[in-house]
Amino acid sequence: MKCVIPAAGLGTRFLPITKAQPKEMLPVYDRPTIQYVIEEAVASGIDDIIIVNGKGKRSIEDHFDRSFELEESLKEKGKFDILKTVNEISNLADIFYIRQKKQKGLGDAINHAKRHIGDEPFAVMLGDIITKSDRPCTKQLIDLSEKYNSSIVAVEKVPNEKVEKYGIIGGSEVSNGVYNVDTLVEKPKLTESPSNLAIIGRYVLYPEIFDHIENTEVSVGNEIQLTDAMAKLDLLYANVFNGRSYDIGNKIDWLKTSIEFALEDDEFNDVLLDYMHEIVK
Ligand code: G1P
């Protein structure tokens, strides 16, 4: 299966950090955000990845490319562990890049991948969310998409105050945690929300979606929304993600995720905990 990762946004929520660097390259603990997403894709069996990028995103390409100078230098210095890590990044998957010249929204970004995708179901993975689970989130979706012969999105229950930050689904539960979706609303007011089940940026979509995107008008945020195009699909399921997701699309949650991931690293756990106790005092 192929996968599309939209990475053309301006990262306005992270200014000024993102003035001259893409938000997809913001580090979460020890690696850029987009690397976690690509690692999830690869762990889900995806090896053909399309990144839809825009102006000022060259560092994403460089990150997943080989860097001969760096490799030579690490070899000379005998730093073979880090050399292995660096080489693994450039061998992760086949990555293709398409440019979105004007930011017209998520729906439009996905539509840029139409010719590369062809006539097969494909995955969409947004970089604002990192997932952790035994079976990768996207793999859970791929398996269910095959079972139900349908497009499917990953969702998670969010508290009332967060409903208006996400695309929200409504529908009937057909088996444990799997919903047949009949309503989709992008960033609804709580009073108009069909449920608390929020789309967490992982999708498997049938190629009909491209026609629907082309027939979708701009809406919330003056953008062509993928959620509006999905609402036109004849069949759509949602899977309550069995795992833990980290929304890093805003500064505070991004910071919390970095700390949490650093605490999971045995090398720094003690030292970081001591430091945190010290500053709390
Ligand atoms: C996008 C989608 C939204 C989804 C969210 C997940 O919104 O439009 O449906 O719930 O990603 O992060 P954005 O965060 O780009 O505003």
Side-chain angles (χ1 to χ4, degrees), residues 9-67:
L10 298 173
T12 40
R13 283 176 220 164
F14 281 93
L15 283 167
I17 319 175
T18 46
K19 184 161 177 259
Q21 69 168 328
K23 78 168 177 187
E24 294 76 14
M25 290 300 291
L26 289 185
V28 172
Y29 181 43
D30 65 354
R31 65 199 76 176
T33 309
I34 195 163
Q35 190 179 325
Y36 290 95
V37 180
I38 290 189
E39 285 168 351
E40 181 191 324
V42 172
S44 301
I46 291 167
D47 60 359
D48 181 322
I49 295 169
I50 305 121
I51 296 183
V52 182
N53 61 14
K55 228 190 178 126
K57 303 278 185 169
R58 179 106 0 119
S59 58
I60 299 178
E61 295 183 36
D62 289 342
H63 184 72
F64 294 104
D65 197 359
R66 288 194 65 180
S67 171

Side-chain angles (χ1 to χ4, degrees), residues 7-262:
L10 298 173
T12 40
R13 283 176 220 164
F14 281 93
L15 283 167
I17 319 175
T18 46
K19 184 161 177 259
Q21 69 168 328
K23 78 168 177 187
E24 294 76 14
M25 290 300 291
L26 289 185
V28 172
Y29 181 43
D30 65 354
R31 65 199 76 176
T33 309
I34 195 163
Q35 190 179 325
Y36 290 95
V37 180
I38 290 189
E39 285 168 351
E40 181 191 324
V42 172
S44 301
I46 291 167
D47 60 359
D48 181 322
I49 295 169
I50 305 121
I51 296 183
V52 182
N53 61 14
K55 228 190 178 126
K57 303 278 185 169
R58 179 106 0 119
S59 58
I60 299 178
E61 295 183 36
D62 289 342
H63 184 72
F64 294 104
D65 197 359
R66 288 194 65 180
S67 171
F68 293 102
E69 253 176 38
L70 178 65
E71 288 169 28
E72 281 311 309
S73 159
L74 291 172
K75 255 185 238 162
E76 272 168 29
K77 290 179 182 146
K79 296 189 170 172
F80 294 106
D81 277 2
I82 190 72
L83 177 65
K84 189 168 165 272
T85 308
V86 163
N87 282 339
E88 275 166 7
I89 297 170
S90 40
N91 291 328
L92 272 171
D94 282 339
I95 305 180
F96 302 87
Y97 298 89
I98 301 174
R99 263 206 177 203
Q100 185 190 26
K101 295 195 183 91
K102 193 170 177 231
Q103 274 69 55
K104 290 196 269 180
L106 179 58
D108 182 65
I110 302 305
N111 208 24
H112 276 66
K114 181 177 172 174
R115 283 178 62 188
H116 187 99
I117 293 294
D119 208 20
E120 299 285 321
F122 63 101
V124 171
M125 304 174 75
L126 308 190
D128 288 352
I129 292 191
I130 295 173
T131 69
K132 271 196 180 173
S133 49
D134 291 340
R135 208 154 50 98
C137 183
T138 300
K139 178 69 178 141
Q140 294 178 22
L141 292 183
I142 292 171
D143 293 347
L144 287 166
S145 165
E146 278 166 10
K147 179 172 174 195
Y148 290 97
N149 291 311
S150 168
S151 297
I152 184 161
V153 291
V155 293
E156 225 173 49
K157 208 169 185 172
V158 293
N160 286 348
E161 65 276 13
K162 289 203 168 165
V163 155
E164 56 183 62
K165 291 186 191 306
Y166 295 98
I168 304 287
I169 66 117
S172 47
E173 194 169 12
V174 290
S175 83
N176 198 12
V178 179
Y179 287 75
N180 187 341
V181 176
D182 56 29
T183 321
L184 277 158
V185 195
E186 181 65 17
K187 302 189 174 66
K189 291 206 174 74
L190 182 59
T191 47
E192 285 154 22
S193 186
S195 76
N196 281 54
L197 292 172
I199 297 170
I200 57 160
R202 298 292 186 271
Y203 315 71
V204 169
L205 297 172
Y206 272 47
E208 292 93 279
I209 193 69
F210 294 118
D211 288 340
H212 296 313
I213 293 173
E214 272 157 30
N215 293 317
T216 297
E217 303 291 321
V218 295
S219 65
V220 183
N222 212 16
E223 294 187 340
I224 297 172
Q225 295 292 348
L226 181 60
T227 306
D228 294 343
M230 287 195 305
K232 298 178 185 184
L233 287 165
D234 290 331
L235 197 56
L236 177 68
Y237 283 82
N239 177 44
V240 180
F241 171 47
N242 187 3
R244 171 97 204 265
S245 77
Y246 300 82
D247 185 349
I248 49 143
N250 61 78
K251 281 184 194 167
I252 189 66
D253 288 321
W254 166 63
L255 194 58
K256 283 183 188 170
T257 308
S258 259
I259 294 170
E260 201 173 316
F261 284 15

